[in-house]
């Protein structure tokens, strides 16, 4: 069962590709929203969406939204995550979820599966980045973008849950 909007997360400190520890649920006065995008470096859907992720970060970070890619896969390492972040041009860090505690808590199963948490750690959106898989289309429904726009207007997301279309995470 996937983590449904309304689930509250406790603070989870994780090491990251930028060398700094990060709290998934920030302390008081932290970012207004936190986006977690579970990632699998082998997944074509992940690769196809790298540009859209960078665009989302560029448009929403200054509006109080933190972004993190999350590596919960077996064999993940900070060195590989840093290399992948650089190769993909990510302007945001990759969190290493060694032991997969975060993936288990959120019931994350797929690459590009996204979660938006508010300052209290409540899941406000869960699902895909958009309606595209490995081929991107101009007319794609931008699920994560729509949720962020709604939440930043203090409105509930028009779709609090959508389908994630990436590869299964290799967490075993």
């Amino acid at each position: 069962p996937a983590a449904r909007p309304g689930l509250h997360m406790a603070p989870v400190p994780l090491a990251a590709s930028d060398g700094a520890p990060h709290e998934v649920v920030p302390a008081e006065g932290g970012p207004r929203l936190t986006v977690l995008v579970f990632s699998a470096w082998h997944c074509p859907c992940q690769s196809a969406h790298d540009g859209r992720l960078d665009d989302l970060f560029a448009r929403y970070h200054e509006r109080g939204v933190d972004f993190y890619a999350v590596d919960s896969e077996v064999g993940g390492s900070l060195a590989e995550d840093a290399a992948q972040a650089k190769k993909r041009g990510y302007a945001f860090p990759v969190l290493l979820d060694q032991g997969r505690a975060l993936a288990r808590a959120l019931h994350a199963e797929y690459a590009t599966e996204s979660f938006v948490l508010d300052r209290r750690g409540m899941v406000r959106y869960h699902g895909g980045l958009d309606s595209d898989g490995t081929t991107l289309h101009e007319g794609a429904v931008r699920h994560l973008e729509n949720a962020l726009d709604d939440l930043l207007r203090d409105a509930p997301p028009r779709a609090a849950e959508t389908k994630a279309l990436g590869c299964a995470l290799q967490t075993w």
Side-chain angles (χ1 to χ4, degrees), residues 75-168:
S77 72
L78 285 176
E80 177 64 16
D81 292 341
Q84 287 291 333
K86 182 177 181 180
K87 173 184 168 186
R88 294 164 186 271
Y90 289 172
F92 49 88
V94 178
L95 302 176
L96 180 59
D97 183 23
Q98 204 161 26
R100 288 145 300 289
L102 182 59
R104 278 196 310 275
L106 291 170
H107 304 281
E109 299 180 57
Y110 301 102
T112 73
E113 187 171 1
S114 303
F115 296 84
V116 177
L117 307 176
D118 66 16
R119 314 193 138 111
R120 299 171 311 178
M122 185 178 2
V123 175
R124 301 296 304 274
Y125 169 78
H126 163 239
L129 295 172
D130 54 40
S131 61
D132 282 339
T134 57
T135 303
L136 304 183
H137 303 90
E138 279 302 311
V141 178
R142 306 286 182 112
H143 301 305
L144 179 57
E145 181 178 332
N146 291 342
L148 290 172
D149 286 341
D150 294 341
L151 291 166
L152 289 170
R153 284 194 320 268
D154 293 323
R158 57 196 93 167
E161 278 194 286
T162 64
K163 184 175 179 164
L165 300 174
C167 305

Side-chain angles (χ1 to χ4, degrees), residues 48-59:
H49 283 83
D50 285 340
R52 285 192 179 163
L53 274 172
D54 285 333
D55 179 57
L56 287 167
F57 174 82
R59 291 186 15 240

